[in-house]
Amino acid sequence: MSNKSYNIAVLPGDGTGPEVVDEGIKVLKAASDKFGFKLNFEWFDFGGDRYLETGEILPDSAVEEFRKFDSIFLGAIGHPDVKPGILEKGILLKLRFELDQYINLRPVKLYPGVPTPLKDKGPEEIDYVVVRENVGGLYTGIGGFTMKGTPDEVAVQSMVYNRKQVERCLRYAFEYTRKHGKKNTLALCGKTNVLTYTYDLWERAFHEIGEKDFPEITREYYHVDATCMWMVKNPEWFDVIVTGNMFGDIITDLGAITQGGMGIAAGGNINPNGVSMFEPIGGSAPKYTGKNIINPLASICCGIMMLEHLNEDEAAKAIDKSVMYVTGNKIKDMGAGKMGYSTSEVGDMIADGV
Ligand code: IPM
Ligand code: MN
């Protein structure tokens, strides 16, 4: 039991974001009631609709306001009537960068009963975590065009990392492995055979930090292309994987599909010393909006991650168990409209089981 109270900023966003967030919050409320802590939610309506109505994306004053919260609970960003990139960069990436959420923590966990496309693999085999660097690399936005629109056009987008960025991410990954790893093994996913600067820095830092401060943790290295192959063929090899921003983006979509798809894949944008933001890996799924058929499990699993982050471990475990029961015994398919239950019914079942 804890008597604590947490202030949570809720950013439902676009498309099915609000529907899944409602269920995530329903379950969080059930957990906070049961385990005796308080969650104070405050809603913010940034997203495509607000942008189309007012032209406002995410003002700096809102970022400052978000700094005062214990966590941010986000639904989805992306609107069919807004050019791709505007909202993603203006809201999602802006928050990640401004709040220095330098870790993107993405568990690849197959819940019981959830169909996976991987033959002969089950929850025993598919259970690892990707630690994605979240504010650097190709996402830094350094680059530009020359002679744009001419046949001689040149476009550059640089993969930029400094030692400090790499080091803090690696340290987080080592600490995470020490605390949560099942096999005490941290794998670096890189491309040292081609990206001989950036991933050379990562690899040197990885071994230096590991040898000096985490000698009990086994270090492995995989190129990113091979990582993809083994994530499909032998996912049970992995415990914790650490990688840069772009590779992390790509391999976590692969990971998500092996754990049952975007309906269930959750992630956290973590600033270990600041405000973290929890968001489903999937997007706003415009075509399912307002139909009460979207799978809310990803948002509910974000709630688990948020409670773990707030050190409400008992409550997090209770939700996790309830999700396991519902995936194992109730929902047969993770796809929108295929669950056999509506969005809100899934939320009810999980809330009741907490
Ligand atoms: C993700 C998304 C984002 C990313 C996009 C929407 C900017 O794909 O969270 O993985 O590339 O990080
Ligand atoms: Mn992505």
Side-chain angles (χ1 to χ4, degrees), residues 106 132 249 252-253 281:
R106 296 189 157 179
R132 164 187 176 189
D249 177 47
T252 53
D253 264 31
I281 295 184

Side-chain angles (χ1 to χ4, degrees), residues 88 92-93 96 104 106 132 139 249 252-253 279 281:
E88 292 85 343
L92 192 60
L93 296 184
R96 287 179 185 172
N104 198 324
R106 296 189 157 179
R132 164 187 176 189
Y139 282 66
D249 177 47
T252 53
D253 264 31
E279 64 162 311
I281 295 184

Side-chain angles (χ1 to χ4, degrees), residues 33-53:
D33 284 350
K34 172 144 187 208
F35 291 92
F37 56 92
K38 249 194 117 209
L39 294 171
N40 312 306
F41 296 104
E42 194 173 323
W43 269 258
F44 294 83
D45 69 349
F46 299 107
D49 288 331
R50 176 164 174 157
Y51 171 64
L52 290 170
E53 271 165 42

Side-chain angles (χ1 to χ4, degrees), residues 42-82:
E42 194 173 323
W43 269 258
F44 294 83
D45 69 349
F46 299 107
D49 288 331
R50 176 164 174 157
Y51 171 64
L52 290 170
E53 271 165 42
T54 68
E56 184 169 69
I57 304 178
L58 179 73
D60 292 341
S61 58
V63 177
E64 290 316 305
E65 215 176 320
F66 283 131
R67 284 187 206 282
K68 297 181 204 135
F69 286 86
D70 293 301
S71 282
I72 303 169
F73 197 66
L74 184 141
I77 299 293
H79 195 290
D81 302 334
V82 181

